[in-house]
Amino acid sequence: CNTLRVTDTSGNCGASFDIDIVSPGFSSMRTLARHRTVIAAIGPDIIRQIHAHTIRASAPGESVPAP
């Protein structure tokens, strides 16, 4: 990946995160496939402990909506 930023948006209790990731591997994927790829990389044990998350996954050069 080119860029990865994870921001705790829960006030530091670790229950909510914004995940911004830019990777050339996303260039041929639709949004849902990108999200599934990120969630699979995080793993089921960790993802179950997170109450909420926002994923912004893009390929280099794509515009990404602001949070």
Side-chain angles (χ1 to χ4, degrees):
C1 97
N2 290 346
T3 305
L4 173 63
R5 181 178 53 223
V6 179
T7 306
D8 184 344
T9 57
S10 65
N12 294 321
C13 75
S16 179
F17 294 92
D18 282 350
I19 302 166
D20 297 289
I21 184 167
V22 178
S23 174
F26 293 141
S27 64
S28 63
M29 294 182 180
R30 293 179 178 223
T31 302
L32 184 56
R34 293 173 180 191
H35 287 213
R36 287 179 175 162
T37 299
V38 172
I39 289 170
I42 294 169
D45 293 335
I46 294 173
I47 213 69
R48 274 189 231 117
Q49 298 175 35
I50 299 172
H51 173 73
H53 62 274
T54 301
I55 298 172
R56 285 181 290 277
S58 62
E62 291 181 348
S63 61
V64 178

